[in-house]
């Protein structure tokens, strides 16, 4: 939920305030942010070209699964949000994501 210019934090319920401050993204948005890249960069001065053919992400993530009153399940995630060890830490998971450009060639054994 996003607040508009006419609302103040005092107008929000406790759950809405939590959602406003929540550092975790919907999981689809998290994956999109990790995979949104330029496939090719060109240096206009030198003419050199950098082409990305594959990206591999291997990172710890914090996940939260919630179920609302209607039974709607929401999955959110982000890189770990706490840098300081506390008595109660969130559970961390490991996410591995591999993105490879498909040239339309069929590859076996890879």
């Amino acid at each position: 939920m996003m607040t508009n210019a006419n609302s103040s934090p005092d107008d929000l319920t406790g759950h809405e305030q939590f959602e406003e401050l929540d550092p975790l993204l919907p999981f689809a948005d998290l994956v999109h942010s990790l995979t949104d890249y330029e496939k090719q960069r060109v240096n206009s001065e030198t003419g050199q070209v950098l082409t990305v053919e594959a990206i591999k992400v291997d990172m710890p993530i914090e996940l939260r699964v919630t179920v609302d009153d209607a039974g709607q399940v929401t999955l959110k995630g982000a890189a770990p949000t706490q840098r300081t060890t506390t008595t109660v830490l969130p559970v961390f998971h490991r996410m591995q994501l591999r993105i490879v450009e498909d040239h339309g060639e069929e590859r076996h054994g890879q």
Side-chain angles (χ1 to χ4, degrees):
M1 173 182 176
M2 299 296 292
T3 59
N4 61 40
N6 298 329
S7 66
S8 71
D10 296 334
D11 296 334
L12 301 176
T13 67
H15 176 74
E16 291 169 333
Q17 286 177 358
F18 175 78
E19 288 295 319
E20 281 287 316
L21 301 173
D22 189 5
L24 303 184
L25 295 171
F27 197 73
D29 293 346
L30 172 64
V31 171
H32 181 266
S33 69
L34 293 171
T35 59
D36 186 25
Y37 63 94
E38 294 180 50
K39 293 179 183 174
Q40 194 171 70
R41 300 197 87 186
V42 179
N43 183 320
S44 59
E45 293 178 15
T46 65
Q48 292 180 322
V49 177
L50 171 71
T51 302
V52 177
E53 295 181 355
I55 294 177
K56 182 179 178 186
V57 176
D58 185 356
M59 63 183 274
I61 61 170
E62 183 177 334
L63 286 178
R64 182 185 316 117
V65 179
T66 58
V67 181
D68 66 15
D69 294 337
Q72 179 74 29
V73 177
T74 302
L75 178 63
K76 290 186 171 186
T81 58
Q82 291 182 237
R83 292 187 182 5
T84 305
T85 302
T86 61
T87 55
V88 178
L89 286 171
V91 175
F92 298 126
H93 303 272
R94 181 152 228 76
M95 180 171 78
Q96 295 180 335
L97 179 65
R98 184 171 170 241
I99 303 163
V100 179
E101 186 175 359
D102 182 6
H103 297 284
E105 303 166 3
E106 189 172 320
R107 296 180 181 168
H108 298 285
Q110 289 187 5

